[in-house]
Amino acid sequence: MPTTTPAQILQDATLLQRFQALDRFLIEHQALWRPRPFVHYPALPWETEHPKLAAWLRAQSLEHAEAAHNQPHLLQAPAPFPQLAAQAHELSQLGELPQSPAQTLPPRFSSDVPGRKWQQIDAFARSLSFFQKPQHWLDWCAGKGHLGRMLAHGGGKLTCLEYNPQLVSSGQQLSHKLGIAAQHIEQDVLADDAVMQLQAQHTPVALHACGELHTRLLQLASQAGCQKLAVAPCCYNRISTASYQPLSASAQASMLQLSIDDLGLPLSETVTAGARVRRQRDQSMARRLAFDLLQRQLRGVDEYLPTPSLPPAWLDKPFADYCQDLAALKQLPTPGAQNWQQLEQQGWQRLAEVRNLELLRGLFRRPLELWLLLDRALFLQEQGYTVRLGTFCTTKQSPRNLLLLAERQHQLPTDAVDNSVDRF
Ligand SMILES: C[S@@+](CC[C@H](N)C(=O)[O-])C[C@H]1O[C@@H](n2cnc3c(N)ncnc32)[C@H](O)[C@@H]1O
């Protein structure tokens, strides 16, 4: 795929430039990425405008969708797919943040941490580079505080905030065992009193704090006068408002209004799951799609009806029982005689079509995620921070691999950024 923009770390003016380019792209093509194939039947609104593309995608197999899922931009599909793919790919280019050499930590530090999580923590810690050495790390939504301990091993005090008491207590024990002087505090970071936990000398770090958990940090840390912070967000859709509340003036001025469903798009990339898990996921979705056809008939309403997530044991039920029980759960009329085999087959056919149609939405996953990150970056810029945005690990290590580094440096000239930066 040709690209004219080399992957670069976004900072200074490029933050706003990229935000504006993404904003235009997402607004112009919202009719293509907003509607979710899963809920639209028999066709998506854009299909009349692009019948060749729709027919081509609908004719592909489930295996095809699976193979193309992680790299939809490489697909040779009819127009406008390749053109959109090239644009989306170019707008999503982002450089890797420079990493300091690996720290040699005693093996005990990682003994309690799953392999992939440890790789993320290691990559996050090595990507932190600040002008001034952090004195006091604040691990925000810390879990057991593995990240904070790794950072504090290199120097500085450590406070970990976490609201799950078991994780707080395990974290405290681990810190004690590993000789790290850390304070693990049970704190709901969304509660009013969370503001008391932030002080100007803190350097907050947040690895994969969901939606509001990390946006709250950005607000509280900038108010508290923290000079540096580092955030790798995830789960943008975990918010308590009905729609997205932009943080920066630029995003507030944008025409782009995002629903909770829209915010789920960047998270819809599935990382390599095992064959059994994939099969289970497919079966569950095929059944839901089949049930959707049935419920339209039972209700006499040609509209999607959301259904709750069901225990995995439901997949062991014969398909007819599954439908009857789900109809009862949704208080729908009891289904009469049906050709269950045919209905189940229709569910699988719909699944293949839905998955392939989703490849078009998939082109917009990364652009939307980057738009959201840039909203955070621009907000921090407005609060007087110098911000850098880049990747900190591979997508295989985590699809949520974007990291925001922010530092207030009133006393330093901005052109010193690249030459004099130290890593901590
Ligand atoms: C995805 S985990 C990330 C944990 C850790 N940063 C890591 O990367 O291993 C999110 C953490 O946030 C915690 N959490 C969720 N809601 C919270 C809240 N309102 N206040 C404090 N912590 C919260 C969860 O218990 C969980 O440990």
PDB file of all heavy atoms in Angstrom, residues 205-217:
ATOM      1  N   VAL A 205       0.978   7.805  35.753  1.00  0.00           N
ATOM      2  CA  VAL A 205       1.068   6.903  34.604  1.00  0.00           C
ATOM      3  C   VAL A 205      -0.194   6.043  34.605  1.00  0.00           C
ATOM      4  O   VAL A 205      -0.645   5.617  35.665  1.00  0.00           O
ATOM      5  CB  VAL A 205       2.327   5.986  34.657  1.00  0.00           C
ATOM      6  CG1 VAL A 205       3.588   6.777  34.416  1.00  0.00           C
ATOM      7  CG2 VAL A 205       2.420   5.232  35.974  1.00  0.00           C
ATOM      8  N   ALA A 206      -0.764   5.837  33.433  1.00  0.00           N
ATOM      9  CA  ALA A 206      -1.964   5.004  33.357  1.00  0.00           C
ATOM     10  C   ALA A 206      -1.835   4.085  32.155  1.00  0.00           C
ATOM     11  O   ALA A 206      -1.776   4.552  31.011  1.00  0.00           O
ATOM     12  CB  ALA A 206      -3.213   5.878  33.231  1.00  0.00           C
ATOM     13  N   LEU A 207      -1.714   2.804  32.439  1.00  0.00           N
ATOM     14  CA  LEU A 207      -1.655   1.817  31.354  1.00  0.00           C
ATOM     15  C   LEU A 207      -3.017   1.147  31.259  1.00  0.00           C
ATOM     16  O   LEU A 207      -3.459   0.481  32.184  1.00  0.00           O
ATOM     17  CB  LEU A 207      -0.555   0.792  31.654  1.00  0.00           C
ATOM     18  CG  LEU A 207      -0.485  -0.431  30.727  1.00  0.00           C
ATOM     19  CD1 LEU A 207      -0.333  -0.030  29.268  1.00  0.00           C
ATOM     20  CD2 LEU A 207       0.649  -1.352  31.132  1.00  0.00           C
ATOM     21  N   HIS A 208      -3.689   1.367  30.143  1.00  0.00           N
ATOM     22  CA  HIS A 208      -4.974   0.739  29.851  1.00  0.00           C
ATOM     23  C   HIS A 208      -6.027   1.012  30.919  1.00  0.00           C
ATOM     24  O   HIS A 208      -6.699   0.095  31.403  1.00  0.00           O
ATOM     25  CB  HIS A 208      -4.786  -0.771  29.613  1.00  0.00           C
ATOM     26  CG  HIS A 208      -3.965  -1.029  28.378  1.00  0.00           C
ATOM     27  ND1 HIS A 208      -3.325  -2.201  28.135  1.00  0.00           N
ATOM     28  CD2 HIS A 208      -3.690  -0.227  27.321  1.00  0.00           C
ATOM     29  CE1 HIS A 208      -2.682  -2.119  26.976  1.00  0.00           C
ATOM     30  NE2 HIS A 208      -2.893  -0.920  26.464  1.00  0.00           N
ATOM     31  N   ALA A 209      -6.124   2.282  31.283  1.00  0.00           N
ATOM     32  CA  ALA A 209      -7.250   2.709  32.120  1.00  0.00           C
ATOM     33  C   ALA A 209      -8.389   3.038  31.146  1.00  0.00           C
ATOM     34  O   ALA A 209      -8.200   3.787  30.186  1.00  0.00           O
ATOM     35  CB  ALA A 209      -6.862   3.922  32.954  1.00  0.00           C
ATOM     36  N   CYS A 210      -9.562   2.477  31.411  1.00  0.00           N
ATOM     37  CA  CYS A 210     -10.679   2.609  30.472  1.00  0.00           C
ATOM     38  C   CYS A 210     -11.230   4.033  30.438  1.00  0.00           C
ATOM     39  O   CYS A 210     -11.076   4.781  31.403  1.00  0.00           O
ATOM     40  CB  CYS A 210     -11.825   1.708  30.899  1.00  0.00           C
ATOM     41  SG  CYS A 210     -11.365  -0.002  31.025  1.00  0.00           S
ATOM     42  N   GLY A 211     -11.945   4.324  29.362  1.00  0.00           N
ATOM     43  CA  GLY A 211     -12.706   5.550  29.114  1.00  0.00           C
ATOM     44  C   GLY A 211     -12.542   6.666  30.129  1.00  0.00           C
ATOM     45  O   GLY A 211     -11.539   7.391  30.152  1.00  0.00           O
ATOM     46  N   GLU A 212     -13.556   6.798  30.986  1.00  0.00           N
ATOM     47  CA  GLU A 212     -13.575   7.918  31.932  1.00  0.00           C
ATOM     48  C   GLU A 212     -12.455   7.859  32.965  1.00  0.00           C
ATOM     49  O   GLU A 212     -12.115   8.866  33.564  1.00  0.00           O
ATOM     50  CB  GLU A 212     -14.907   7.925  32.690  1.00  0.00           C
ATOM     51  CG  GLU A 212     -15.897   8.806  32.016  1.00  0.00           C
ATOM     52  CD  GLU A 212     -17.303   8.616  32.528  1.00  0.00           C
ATOM     53  OE1 GLU A 212     -17.517   7.841  33.479  1.00  0.00           O
ATOM     54  OE2 GLU A 212     -18.190   9.247  31.951  1.00  0.00           O
ATOM     55  N   LEU A 213     -11.926   6.660  33.180  1.00  0.00           N
ATOM     56  CA  LEU A 213     -10.875   6.550  34.196  1.00  0.00           C
ATOM     57  C   LEU A 213      -9.658   7.352  33.769  1.00  0.00           C
ATOM     58  O   LEU A 213      -9.017   8.014  34.582  1.00  0.00           O
ATOM     59  CB  LEU A 213     -10.490   5.083  34.429  1.00  0.00           C
ATOM     60  CG  LEU A 213     -11.625   4.132  34.824  1.00  0.00           C
ATOM     61  CD1 LEU A 213     -11.092   2.721  34.985  1.00  0.00           C
ATOM     62  CD2 LEU A 213     -12.281   4.601  36.114  1.00  0.00           C
ATOM     63  N   HIS A 214      -9.327   7.303  32.475  1.00  0.00           N
ATOM     64  CA  HIS A 214      -8.143   8.079  32.078  1.00  0.00           C
ATOM     65  C   HIS A 214      -8.482   9.527  31.724  1.00  0.00           C
ATOM     66  O   HIS A 214      -7.665  10.412  31.937  1.00  0.00           O
ATOM     67  CB  HIS A 214      -7.363   7.377  30.950  1.00  0.00           C
ATOM     68  CG  HIS A 214      -8.030   7.397  29.617  1.00  0.00           C
ATOM     69  ND1 HIS A 214      -8.763   6.351  29.121  1.00  0.00           N
ATOM     70  CD2 HIS A 214      -8.076   8.355  28.656  1.00  0.00           C
ATOM     71  CE1 HIS A 214      -9.222   6.652  27.930  1.00  0.00           C
ATOM     72  NE2 HIS A 214      -8.841   7.861  27.625  1.00  0.00           N
ATOM     73  N   THR A 215      -9.703   9.802  31.240  1.00  0.00           N
ATOM     74  CA  THR A 215     -10.012  11.217  30.957  1.00  0.00           C
ATOM     75  C   THR A 215     -10.080  12.006  32.279  1.00  0.00           C
ATOM     76  O   THR A 215      -9.679  13.152  32.342  1.00  0.00           O
ATOM     77  CB  THR A 215     -11.317  11.384  30.149  1.00  0.00           C
ATOM     78  OG1 THR A 215     -12.372  10.707  30.810  1.00  0.00           O
ATOM     79  CG2 THR A 215     -11.175  10.846  28.746  1.00  0.00           C
ATOM     80  N   ARG A 216     -10.538  11.333  33.323  1.00  0.00           N
ATOM     81  CA  ARG A 216     -10.556  11.991  34.642  1.00  0.00           C
ATOM     82  C   ARG A 216      -9.131  12.333  35.075  1.00  0.00           C
ATOM     83  O   ARG A 216      -8.861  13.409  35.613  1.00  0.00           O
ATOM     84  CB  ARG A 216     -11.191  11.032  35.662  1.00  0.00           C
ATOM     85  CG  ARG A 216     -11.269  11.589  37.052  1.00  0.00           C
ATOM     86  CD  ARG A 216     -12.685  11.774  37.486  1.00  0.00           C
ATOM     87  NE  ARG A 216     -12.830  12.970  38.303  1.00  0.00           N
ATOM     88  CZ  ARG A 216     -12.981  13.008  39.601  1.00  0.00           C
ATOM     89  NH1 ARG A 216     -13.089  11.973  40.203  1.00  0.00           N
ATOM     90  NH2 ARG A 216     -13.063  14.099  40.303  1.00  0.00           N
ATOM     91  N   LEU A 217      -8.220  11.401  34.810  1.00  0.00           N
ATOM     92  CA  LEU A 217      -6.823  11.658  35.175  1.00  0.00           C
ATOM     93  C   LEU A 217      -6.307  12.909  34.452  1.00  0.00           C
ATOM     94  O   LEU A 217      -5.650  13.755  35.056  1.00  0.00           O
ATOM     95  CB  LEU A 217      -5.941  10.447  34.829  1.00  0.00           C
ATOM     96  CG  LEU A 217      -4.443  10.699  34.971  1.00  0.00           C
ATOM     97  CD1 LEU A 217      -4.076  11.047  36.403  1.00  0.00           C
ATOM     98  CD2 LEU A 217      -3.631   9.504  34.506  1.00  0.00           C
TER      99      LEU A 217
END
